[in-house]
Amino acid sequence: MKNRSYSLLAIGFIALLVLGAGCIGGETTPTATTTTSTITKTVSGTPTTTTTVVTKTVTPTTSAKPKVGEFRIAAGWPFPYHGNPFLPGSVGVAFWLSFEPFAYYVPASGEWIPRLAESWNVEGSTMIVKLRADAKWSDGEPITADDIITAVTFEQAINKRWLYIEKVEKIDDKTVKFVSSEAITIPRMIELLTRPEVSRVPKHIYGQWLSKAEELAKVNREIYSYTSKGEEAPKELTDKSAALLSELKESLQKFKPWEEKKFIVSGAFVPKTIRQDVMVFEVNPHYWAKDKMQIKKVTVYRWSSNDAVWAMLMAGKIDASHPATPKDLTDQIMKLNPNVKLTTPTDLGEFAVVFNFRNPLFQDINLRKAIVYALDRKKVTDVSYWAALPVDTYAHNVLESFAPKWLSSDLLSKLTKYPHDTNKAEEILKSAGYTKGADGYWRTPDGKVVEFTVAVRSDYSDWVIGAKEVTQQLKAFGFKVETEMMPGQIYGGNLRAGEFDLAVEFGAAWWGSGDPYTGYDRIFGEHGYIRAVTYFPANKTFDTPWGALTPEQVVRKLSLETDPEKRKELVEQLAYISNEYLPLVPIYEKRIMIFYNDGGTVTGWPSKDDPLWSLCPGGIEKFYIYLITTGQLKPAG
Amino acid sequence: MDGKYFLKRLASFFIFLWAALTITFVLVHLMPGDPVYMLAHQYMQNYGISFEDAYQMAKASLSWNPTVPIWVRYFQYFENLLRGNLGTSVLYEQSVNQIIARSIPWTIFVASISLLLSFILGVYLGSNAAWKRGTKLDSTVFFGGIVLSSLPSFIVAILLVIFLGVRWGIIPLGGAYSEDLTPGFNLKFILDVLYHAIGPIMALSVERLAGYILGMRNNAVSIIQEDFVSFAAIRGLKDSTIAKKYVRRPALLPLITSLAISLGFMFGGATLAESIFRYPGIGYQYAQALGTRDYPLIMGIFTVIITAVLLATLVVELIYPLIDPRVREK
């Protein structure tokens, strides 16, 4: 009797906890009711062949049951969900799934793919964009020029983006004109045409804050007119901007579109259910390409850890993902789930070792050159990130896989080659007055031991392995060197404060554009991140075959140049300066490891060498969206 | 137990609570890194933008003002705390109370079941091993306990995911319930929640189980050697009576303290296991908050953990005199 009472008590306790967890912890789906009815009509009109799908997954799991018309990935989003793009966390994975840019730009082929825009025309400093006639928001309202003007104004006001756009004008409901203070070059076109920010603040929802945003945007443009000339903006302007921003933020940040059932999208998918562990999207009933789409639902599982993602890939629970994965584990995943394929397109970024030019030691080009020769960069690549493309000949900072497109053989013949050659490194040091002591350490011409650390952020395991290998090789060569691990939370701050000797960082990175300007702006540009870390004297002149050049100015010219041949020449000039004066040592071009499940629940992936894969870096979801909205990706079976 | 004892314990509870929260507050705010930088890094990778753009975006979206002095924050924190308000999350711009209230039921659910399971099983196995010390059962249980104690819960979680989840498909790979279910008090939902909880419960149980097995065995072994146990045997009492009343009960006392404290700690002890199982509990929120330097959320979670641990200790101290006469006499 007594035992039975305890059992009943225990059962009651568990039931209460389940109820509590379910009801208190149950996530909200506030728009579910209204959206469902509309979406259901659309979905019901599509072929439903659920039972005909055959999974080839060898490991039967509870969750691998395929569903026709569904695509599953892993990603992140803020939770509790707010849906406000101007709040921390923004809108998470909905950024690429729910909002649409004017176009996509494919870095590997240079191809433009129209999306929200039907066409565009650039002439000097103006760009006219024609929106699709049938483009509509998910609530059925047409997407018009007024919406684009609203979006640009909010970006200029809050995120201080696109401030070189002086005016955005409505020509008609579906045509909008951008007038820039500078020429609209390829990098600028990419910035304007490929960002979903242009269609994420519908005027009929955000219009109530528009006048305040306009006022702030005007002030920010005025500030930009000073800073773009290298002048300091008057204090009253910057104070006014701060005050207006604070005022606008105060009211705008109280807005929670998801809770208030005002999360209206311009792109292919509308969030239907949002929980901490899973987010489910359904097709936007008013999306212009919905008739071509055979995938009607996207399920996104929380990317809580790489372990969780690997498990889901092996079990066939997700159709694609891109975790950096060791070789043996990659083999294991593909063995356990033969449907899983791997492709490794460029990640548009270099893993590099950067110098701290505030340290006099590294101001000596001889030492920098000796370090490059002393490094076996191929070996560092092999141990650190096996899927990467080693950079082991030059140090020009044009991404290795794009070098043939940008650098002529004539230019390459002028560049110094840096193969792994310790004899050459010794020769350079000796001729510069360095000596090697009886203790095996190199000494500077004034007799000091060449001693430094290689800093690395401790939370990137591949970086740590790479930094340790670099340390080991330089130590073996005769420098007194140690690896210095820093927590990720303080890494960037320490580097910018100059608290390092050598450090591991992304070198040239063409994220968001696929254009060399982005990479060189980062290294030599006035506000470039790497320049801010290294203090490389990019505002000084350097001897080149084109005469004395200032890299900062060449980068500026590159940002304004529209002629392809002249752009190529500017890129070659910057490549020369990078290679000969070594602001950093590129080690490898990172490749993104994309695992995709072909024939499990979906099929229709492009071939492994298709340039389309280069859409993936910095927003892989746009690549999936492209495949889904063109009908290329479809249910398997 | 007299009123003086009660008041003394209550007073020390509040003093310890204030001291612990103060120390934690200072340590949390001394952690290097700032929320703007962390969020910018996240934006840079997710949206494919430059660091400068990402930093600008993060700065504009966060209400966090790094120039507010730490002592001002300290008084704001305690002032809010007295009103039952844990502050506003930097990352979510939402009330920390709401975030915790949303996450904590899931953690209580899996952690309390795992705690009870491991306690009951650990006490049973440990006391039996001690009673039959020197036998195969004893050495198996002892060795098993040692092995399990060296396995952290996140390793167990990974092994469970790989073997039970991926290879054999017995348990789900994560989440709290199936994505196509609507929460409600119905059998389908309850069974689904229980099914999804199996993995986290098992992962959390294993580590604790080892502690209870070894603790119970060691306590019981030393009690078996006491004179009163030998005397009970001489008196001709049955083995089962001696085992139950003379050995198991006194050996349990220290474990009850440990159980109570574990109850307090269970809110924060499931971080890695929850990440691996994508379980929407407070441990997962804690990992997120720490990674983004969301100070109000970190402090909110710590406040809950510290209060729970101290409350559990207080309850034990108040109950102990009722269980152990020696404490009452003191």
Side-chain angles (χ1 to χ4, degrees), chain A residues 354-360 362 453 455 484 486 490-503 529-536:
Chain A
V354 301
F355 299 102
N356 184 359
F357 286 84
R358 282 161 281 197
N359 181 341
F362 302 111
T453 59
E484 186 183 8
M486 294 180 189
I490 59 165
Y491 193 64
N494 279 6
L495 260 51
R496 273 176 292 164
E499 291 165 15
F500 75 102
D501 297 322
L502 258 60
Y529 178 72
I530 292 296
R531 185 176 163 193
V533 161
T534 60
Y535 269 54
F536 180 76

Side-chain angles (χ1 to χ4, degrees), chain B residues 189-207:
Chain B
F189 179 71
I190 292 171
L191 290 177
D192 195 66
V193 167
L194 285 171
Y195 177 53
H196 279 76
I198 293 172
I201 289 173
M202 286 175 78
L204 293 173
S205 299
V206 167
E207 200 180 2

Side-chain angles (χ1 to χ4, degrees), chain A residues 171-463:
Chain A
I171 293 181
D172 60 45
D173 270 357
K174 291 286 180 182
T175 315
V176 63
K177 182 181 175 186
F178 294 82
V179 181
S180 168
S181 56
E182 296 154 353
I184 297 182
T185 56
I186 295 282
R188 289 274 154 89
M189 272 176 72
I190 293 170
E191 266 182 335
L192 286 165
L193 291 169
T194 66
R195 302 298 308 172
E197 284 90 341
V198 290
S199 72
R200 61 175 186 172
V201 283
K203 192 183 175 189
H204 62 285
I205 303 287
Y206 287 82
Q208 53 185 308
W209 298 285
L210 186 55
S211 59
K212 277 186 183 169
E214 276 168 348
E215 199 184 344
L216 175 54
K218 189 169 169 263
V219 176
N220 286 345
R221 284 197 301 267
E222 275 181 61
I223 294 173
Y224 179 78
S225 69
Y226 287 97
T227 53
S228 62
K229 286 181 275 183
E231 295 169 17
E232 205 172 319
K235 193 174 176 300
E236 58 266 32
L237 270 185
T238 51
D239 286 351
K240 193 176 174 189
S241 168
L244 287 170
L245 177 64
S246 154
E247 199 185 320
L248 177 60
K249 266 169 73 175
E250 203 179 318
S251 50
L252 182 60
Q253 290 190 340
K254 286 184 191 134
F255 180 47
K256 306 278 164 66
W258 177 249
E259 284 172 22
E260 296 172 34
K261 302 180 183 175
K262 287 178 179 169
F263 192 67
I264 310 300
V265 315
S266 59
F269 287 98
V270 190
K272 171 81 189 310
T273 303
I274 304 178
R275 291 173 14 194
Q276 187 170 313
D277 57 333
V278 70
M279 196 161 167
V280 181
F281 291 81
E282 288 188 353
V283 75
N284 172 358
H286 300 285
Y287 186 61
W288 57 270
K290 68 175 189 306
D291 295 337
K292 285 186 196 161
M293 294 162 60
Q294 297 187 55
I295 304 281
K296 302 287 184 186
K297 184 177 172 186
V298 176
T299 302
V300 187
Y301 297 99
R302 167 74 67 184
W303 190 315
S304 56
S305 68
N306 275 5
D307 310 83
V309 172
W310 289 324
M312 288 190 283
L313 271 171
M314 285 189 251
K317 170 117 181 164
I318 49 176
D319 298 307
S321 199
H322 56 286
T325 308
K327 180 79 173 76
D328 53 342
L329 194 51
T330 301
D331 295 341
Q332 191 67 9
I333 290 169
M334 291 162 83
K335 191 177 155 197
L336 277 168
N337 189 342
N339 286 326
V340 172
K341 309 276 189 299
L342 172 70
T343 187
T344 54
T346 174
D347 201 13
L348 297 178
E350 277 176 347
F351 169 92
V353 173
V354 301
F355 299 102
N356 184 359
F357 286 84
R358 282 161 281 197
N359 181 341
L361 199 60
F362 302 111
Q363 289 168 9
D364 182 1
I365 182 67
N366 295 301
L367 180 64
R368 302 205 298 277
K369 285 197 169 175
I371 287 174
V372 186
Y373 281 116
L375 283 174
D376 183 345
R377 293 186 279 175
K378 170 85 172 63
K379 195 176 170 200
V380 179
T381 310
D382 290 344
V383 299
S384 170
Y385 196 86
W386 68 276
L389 182 62
V391 178
D392 51 0
T393 310
Y394 300 104
H396 49 53
N397 296 129
V398 167
L399 295 180
E400 200 70 0
S401 54
F402 289 83
K405 185 179 161 188
W406 287 98
L407 306 177
S408 63
S409 52
D410 182 42
L411 185 271
L412 292 177
S413 70
K414 288 177 192 151
L415 298 184
T416 307
K417 289 184 179 178
Y418 300 106
H420 174 52
D421 187 344
T422 47
N423 292 333
K424 180 86 179 164
E426 287 196 10
E427 200 182 293
I428 289 172
L429 287 181
K430 280 178 184 163
S431 60
Y434 288 74
T435 50
K436 204 168 191 179
D439 55 5
Y441 290 129
W442 284 99
R443 284 170 169 74
T444 58
D446 55 358
K448 287 181 190 150
V449 172
V450 180
E451 184 176 1
F452 54 86
T453 59
V454 180
V456 62
R457 54 182 293 165
S458 54
D459 50 342
Y460 287 3
S461 57
D462 51 334
W463 282 25

